[in-house]
């Protein structure tokens, strides 16, 4: 079994959120992270700050599917698989909410990950999300 390879990377995340009847919102985050290659699997871990809370995000990247795990200020498990409905979870102060993703587009190549998905809560589309994650080796 091979040893995982880790690199420090510069991460840029551009997230566009479209909720029904609400103006589109775009979030742009630049941070540093750690890219780990375990066998053929890529994992990107980075931290961001939202509402004065630190959120640690782990993204398991591949060409067919991805998994976004968030912990800290936000706890979420978001599975993504192109053309498939997937069940995840989002923890709130009132308990865990079951969420579903319907992935419309998913593309991964080294240094770049793109996904577009519908977030479904209680069988209704809560919004359409587009994420573009790019990373380059840090100096």
């Amino acid at each position: 079994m091979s040893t995982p390879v880790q690199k420090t990377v510069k991460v840029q995340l551009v997230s566009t959120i479209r909720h029904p009847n609400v103006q589109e919102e775009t979030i742009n985050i630049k941070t540093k992270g750690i890219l780990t290659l375990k066998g053929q699997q890529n994992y990107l871990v980075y931290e961001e700050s939202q509402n004065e809370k630190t959120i640690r995000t782990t993204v398991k990247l591949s060409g067919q599917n991805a998994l976004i795990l968030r912990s800290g200020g936000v706890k979420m498990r978001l599975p993504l698989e192109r053309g498939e409905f997937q069940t995840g979870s989002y923890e709130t102060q009132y308990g865990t909410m079951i969420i579903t993703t319907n992935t419309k587009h998913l593309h991964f190549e080294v240094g770049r990950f793109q996904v577009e998905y519908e977030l479904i809560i209680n069988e209704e589309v809560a919004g359409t999300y587009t994420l573009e994650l790019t990373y380059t080796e840090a100096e």
Side-chain angles (χ1 to χ4, degrees), residues 1 3-4 20 23-24 27 31 38 54 73 83 86 90 101 119 133:
M1 188 162 187
T3 306
Q23 185 172 344
E24 180 176 290
I27 300 166
T31 187
K38 291 182 186 175
T54 299
Q86 297 288 310
Y90 182 83
T101 58
L119 184 64
L133 190 60

Side-chain angles (χ1 to χ4, degrees), residues 63-114:
Q64 289 298 317
N65 54 46
L67 177 64
I68 300 173
L69 300 171
R70 300 180 90 192
S71 60
V74 170
K75 289 189 178 166
M76 182 176 73
R77 182 179 181 281
L78 195 68
L80 302 160
E81 187 164 346
R82 188 175 22 213
E84 298 282 335
F85 286 89
Q86 297 288 310
T87 302
S89 60
Y90 182 83
E91 287 187 29
T92 70
Q93 62 190 25
Y94 307 107
T96 301
M97 188 168 47
I98 300 301
I99 56 177
T100 303
T101 58
N102 179 16
T103 305
K104 302 293 191 179
H105 170 78
L106 189 145
H107 177 78
F108 171 65
E109 60 191 58
V110 175
R112 187 172 181 199
F113 172 71
Q114 295 173 296

